Amino acid sequence: MSSSNTAILPTFTNDDSQTSKLLRKSKESPFVPIGIAGFAAVVGYGLFKLKSRGNTKMSVHLIHMRVAAQSCVVGAMTIGVLYSMYREYIVKPKENAKAVAEK
């Protein structure tokens, strides 16, 4: 009796590409791309101002840019959470009350 050690491995297909995942997430929470854009803008500005930072130390310049980039992302996340809470707790109950009143 011969036994073969070939196992059948499950194949996982990646139906969602990174781009389609980002687009889907953007539709679910529109402030994610705003946070990413703000982060990229601060990084670009920091790199642009790197040569003309004057007598500021490099470490201080990088710390300021990091804080600014984090502020953009955290601000976008906070606004996104507030927006989703607004939709969930203010808009949706009004729509439900309107639908009940129409019946």
Side-chain angles (χ1 to χ4, degrees):
M1 208 165 136
S2 72
S3 74
S4 96
N5 289 337
T6 58
I8 298 174
L9 297 175
T11 57
F12 299 105
T13 58
N14 189 5
D15 292 338
D16 291 337
S17 68
Q18 294 296 328
T19 307
S20 64
K21 284 182 184 179
L22 181 62
L23 290 175
R24 187 180 73 240
K25 291 288 185 180
S26 297
K27 289 178 185 174
E28 291 172 4
S29 55
F31 291 97
V32 170
I34 294 171
I36 293 171
F39 174 80
V42 168
V43 169
Y45 177 76
L47 289 173
F48 179 72
K49 288 293 184 181
L50 194 60
K51 291 278 186 183
S52 63
R53 68 180 187 275
N55 59 0
T56 306
K57 288 184 176 181
M58 173 71 85
S59 61
V60 173
H61 176 74
L62 292 176
I63 288 171
H64 288 165
M65 291 301 107
R66 179 185 62 91
V67 169
Q70 284 179 332
S71 298
C72 285
V73 172
V74 170
M77 288 173 49
T78 303
I79 292 170
V81 167
L82 292 173
Y83 178 69
S84 67
M85 288 175 62
Y86 169 76
R87 283 190 313 177
E88 184 71 26
Y89 296 111
I90 294 176
V91 173
K92 193 180 271 187
K94 286 181 182 178
E95 289 175 355
N96 290 342
K98 189 176 182 181
V100 169
E102 289 177 358
K103 286 185 179 182

